[in-house]
Amino acid sequence: MGVGMKSIIQVSPGVPLYREVKRRITESVRHGEWPPGGAIPSESKLCERFGVSMGTIRKAVDELSAEGFLIRQQGRGTFVASHNQDRYLFAFFHVARQDGYKEYPKVDLVEFEKTRGDTTAAAMLRTEPGARMVRFVNKLELSGAPVVIDEILLPESLFPRLTEKRLRDRPATLYQLYQEDFRVTVIRTEERLRAIKADAFKARLLGMKVGEPLLQVIRVALSFKDQPVELRYSYVDTRRHEYYSAPMAAS
Amino acid sequence: MGVGMKSIIQVSPGVPLYREVKRRITESVRHGEWPPGGAIPSESKLCERFGVSMGTIRKAVDELSAEGFLIRQQGRGTFVASHNQDRYLFAFFHVARQDGYKEYPKVDLVEFEKTRGDTTAAAMLRTEPGARMVRFVNKLELSGAPVVIDEILLPESLFPRLTEKRLRDRPATLYQLYQEDFRVTVIRTEERLRAIKADAFKARLLGMKVGEPLLQVIRVALSFKDQPVELRYSYVDTRRHEYYSAPMAAS
DNA sequence: CAGTGGTCTAGACCACGTC
DNA sequence: ACGTGGTCTAGACCACTGG
């Protein structure tokens, strides 16, 4: 049938239709039309809505679901990914025991303050230098023993009125809290790793000697359009645990 | 048109056609019909060959190219990924200077022996315990200073007659050597990381003090069907460099 | 059973590379 | 001009989920 009838939606020349469909779907989610965890319209409904054919809808939804943003379930529908789901419990937590056993950590808030980001933090979070930040430190225990310290920096502009109390209420995961309380959805992360010596503060919290090796993970969490939303320094005691890197594909 | 005419290729019920097409394409590459770096037949040719429609071919090639196994180039054709390409130089080398500068390391072979794998190595490489292995150690220099030590274990069954001389000839990358000399193609890797103390051997090679923190990367390289083909222990001096983890998607 | 996503077809035109 | 992959259409049947 070739190009067929004209589509309802307009795109600049050179922009594929399915990209515009992807953009519109993410827009609708961001604007709250379809909440995290909820279903989006069926593929045939989306055809009508956007005036494009099934194949185009499928290509758009295929990619969004490969990016982890939508979740398809045959026979049920397509859902907006939510951090409030089992599948997310270990998606961003990569520490496991050396024998491979994975468990979810018990989290304790040990510090909380409002501060201003230094130049490094401002650069990594793409805020102006000296922007207001929320800074807090969590201690993570596995099988009752402390294994990880997380130092977390959030731009206050994205997380207004985040309180110490809210963090002490033990949200299932931080990224779920970001999503539900602040409509900030973490899509992916970038990480850099180093081996460092434990300082007095970390050694005390982790029950190790000063100077012992510690795995440092510098993580930037990114939302839509690669906007950085969280800077996190993790310190992992790898005497009995390991850090699992995501599988590296050849591409 | 619905199910249309019957396809030439047969599949067990429940196995999608495009999966069978994927399997056949990888088979043809593995059997040497289309060499790494070479072009595979055009999509229309593949339609005839497999007796399926373009859409099905495209879905198969889409996935193989997302897995990094094929490379599409509009207007030119589709090629079998080869480790002998610029894009691969940093695909599996994740160490960069702290300011983000990336360079390709100068490699020196410092040990080479034929040995037998211990139980750990045998388990990770899925060989029988005590299988013959080739073991060698490389020292990697960046900007003239040693930064990484690689200890590499290969099952001799996959790499027969690999000689010390061949490794000293400075192949562009090891994975290129595996591919060209032994038809072993690395598709992806799995990595686990720890922070450890430098021992005397590593401290000497890296020009650091014994006991200084060192990043250990335990990597298993996998080929088709997730067959493990290489076990590598990397030790990275992260005083001036960092280890970049692959981006973590939400899925 | 009706509705969803999953697979598949047989075409068409477009954008790009090469000659 | 020609062949490649990239996009898109308008359908069809299949497999699964839920009432």
Side-chain angles (χ1 to χ4, degrees):
Chain A
M1 193 64 62
V3 71
M5 65 181 300
K6 206 161 50 179
S7 327
I8 291 174
I9 69 180
Q10 300 291 330
V11 290
S12 332
V15 175
L17 254 184
Y18 77 90
R19 283 214 181 279
E20 179 62 15
V21 170
K22 278 181 72 173
R23 203 188 60 74
R24 296 232 188 169
I25 291 174
T26 58
E27 285 293 302
S28 289
V29 169
R30 198 153 23 154
H31 293 1
E33 184 178 347
W34 308 316
I40 69 171
S42 75
E43 303 190 339
S44 53
K45 299 266 180 56
L46 291 173
C47 292
E48 291 173 31
R49 168 160 175 161
F50 296 126
V52 302
S53 88
M54 277 277 310
T56 303
I57 294 292
R58 282 198 67 79
K59 173 130 188 173
V61 175
D62 273 352
E63 291 198 357
L64 287 170
S65 123
E67 291 161 17
F69 180 69
L70 296 178
I71 299 169
R72 302 177 112 127
Q73 290 183 246
Q74 187 175 84
R76 300 217 317 131
T78 302
F79 302 83
V80 180
S82 159
H83 287 280
N84 170 18
Q85 284 171 276
D86 287 351
R87 58 188 291 283
Y88 272 89
L89 283 185
F90 293 105
F92 294 103
F93 182 69
H94 295 118
V95 176
R97 223 160 57 186
Q98 262 164 27
D99 59 16
Y101 176 72
K102 293 188 176 191
E103 66 184 301
Y104 201 66
K106 173 177 166 300
V107 181
D108 265 319
L109 183 69
V110 297
E111 280 188 22
F112 178 93
E113 61 170 338
K114 305 219 170 180
T115 176
R116 288 179 187 277
D118 57 23
T119 53
T120 308
M124 290 206 268
L125 288 168
R126 286 215 292 271
T127 64
E128 70 279 18
R132 291 177 173 278
M133 304 251 176
V134 180
R135 175 185 170 278
F136 57 97
V137 177
N138 279 331
K139 180 178 69 173
L140 279 60
E141 295 188 357
L142 294 170
S143 306
V147 176
V148 182
I149 296 170
D150 280 344
E151 178 187 4
I152 291 161
L153 278 161
L154 305 174
E156 202 175 36
S157 56
L158 289 172
F159 299 87
R161 291 180 299 282
L162 172 60
T163 61
E164 182 167 355
K165 178 175 181 311
R166 183 68 186 90
L167 289 171
R168 288 201 188 281
D169 285 345
R170 299 268 175 76
T173 75
L174 274 180
Y175 291 172
Q176 178 180 354
L177 184 154
Y178 298 169
Q179 186 172 57
E180 293 181 356
D181 289 18
F182 302 97
R183 297 260 297 269
V184 169
T185 297
V186 173
I187 304 288
R188 63 183 192 89
T189 60
E190 288 180 353
E191 301 188 340
R192 286 141 49 205
L193 295 93
R194 301 173 59 207
I196 62 166
K197 287 182 180 175
D199 62 19
F201 174 74
K202 298 179 190 78
R204 181 171 54 77
L205 279 182
L206 293 171
M208 60 200 308
K209 289 187 199 141
V210 172
E212 289 280 300
L214 211 50
L215 181 67
Q216 180 190 41
V217 185
I218 305 160
R219 170 195 287 185
V220 177
L222 305 157
S223 187
F224 301 99
K225 296 179 182 172
D226 281 352
Q227 201 208 336
V229 295
E230 178 204 65
L231 171 59
R232 179 185 300 211
Y233 296 94
S234 295
Y235 301 91
V236 187
D237 174 2
T238 55
R239 286 175 299 181
R240 268 179 269 278
H241 293 78
E242 287 171 333
Y243 182 91
Y244 279 67
S245 155
M248 313 279 178
S251 69
Chain B
M1 193 63 61
V3 72
M5 64 180 301
K6 205 160 51 180
S7 326
I8 290 175
I9 68 180
Q10 299 292 330
V11 291
S12 332
V15 176
L17 255 184
Y18 77 91
R19 283 213 180 278
E20 179 62 15
V21 170
K22 278 181 71 174
R23 203 188 60 74
R24 295 231 186 171
I25 292 174
T26 58
E27 286 291 303
S28 289
V29 170
R30 197 150 29 150
H31 294 0
E33 185 178 347
W34 308 316
I40 69 171
S42 76
E43 303 192 339
S44 51
K45 298 266 179 57
L46 290 173
C47 292
E48 292 175 31
R49 168 161 176 161
F50 296 126
V52 301
S53 88
M54 277 278 309
T56 303
I57 294 291
R58 282 198 68 81
K59 173 127 188 174
V61 175
D62 274 352
E63 291 199 356
L64 287 170
S65 120
E67 291 161 17
F69 179 70
L70 295 179
I71 299 169
R72 301 179 114 128
Q73 290 184 245
Q74 186 175 77
R76 301 218 314 130
T78 302
F79 302 83
V80 180
S82 160
H83 287 279
N84 170 19
Q85 286 170 276
D86 288 352
R87 59 189 289 283
Y88 272 90
L89 283 186
F90 294 105
F92 294 104
F93 182 69
H94 296 117
V95 177
R97 221 160 57 188
Q98 260 164 29
D99 58 15
Y101 175 72
K102 293 188 178 191
E103 66 184 301
Y104 201 67
K106 174 177 164 301
V107 181
D108 265 318
L109 182 70
V110 298
E111 279 188 23
F112 180 92
E113 63 170 338
K114 305 220 169 179
T115 178
R116 288 180 186 278
D118 58 22
T119 51
T120 308
M124 289 206 269
L125 288 168
R126 286 215 293 270
T127 63
E128 72 279 18
R132 290 175 173 281
M133 304 249 176
V134 180
R135 176 185 170 278
F136 57 98
V137 176
N138 279 332
K139 181 178 67 174
L140 280 60
E141 295 189 357
L142 294 170
S143 306
V147 177
V148 182
I149 295 170
D150 280 343
E151 178 188 4
I152 293 162
L153 278 161
L154 305 175
E156 202 177 35
S157 56
L158 289 172
F159 299 87
R161 292 180 297 282
L162 172 61
T163 61
E164 181 167 356
K165 177 174 181 312
R166 183 68 187 88
L167 290 171
R168 288 200 189 282
D169 285 346
R170 298 270 175 74
T173 76
L174 273 180
Y175 291 172
Q176 179 180 353
L177 184 155
Y178 298 169
Q179 185 171 58
E180 293 181 356
D181 289 18
F182 302 97
R183 300 257 298 267
V184 169
T185 297
V186 173
I187 304 289
R188 65 183 190 89
T189 60
E190 287 180 354
E191 299 187 341
R192 287 141 48 204
L193 295 93
R194 302 174 58 208
I196 62 165
K197 288 182 179 175
D199 61 20
F201 174 74
K202 299 180 190 76
R204 182 171 54 77
L205 279 182
L206 293 172
M208 60 199 308
K209 289 186 198 141
V210 172
E212 289 279 301
L214 210 50
L215 181 66
Q216 180 191 41
V217 184
I218 304 161
R219 171 196 287 185
V220 177
L222 304 158
S223 185
F224 302 99
K225 295 180 182 171
D226 281 353
Q227 201 208 336
V229 295
E230 178 205 64
L231 172 59
R232 178 185 301 212
Y233 297 94
S234 295
Y235 301 92
V236 187
D237 174 1
T238 55
R239 285 175 299 181
R240 269 180 267 279
H241 293 79
E242 287 172 334
Y243 182 91
Y244 279 67
S245 155
M248 314 278 178
S251 68

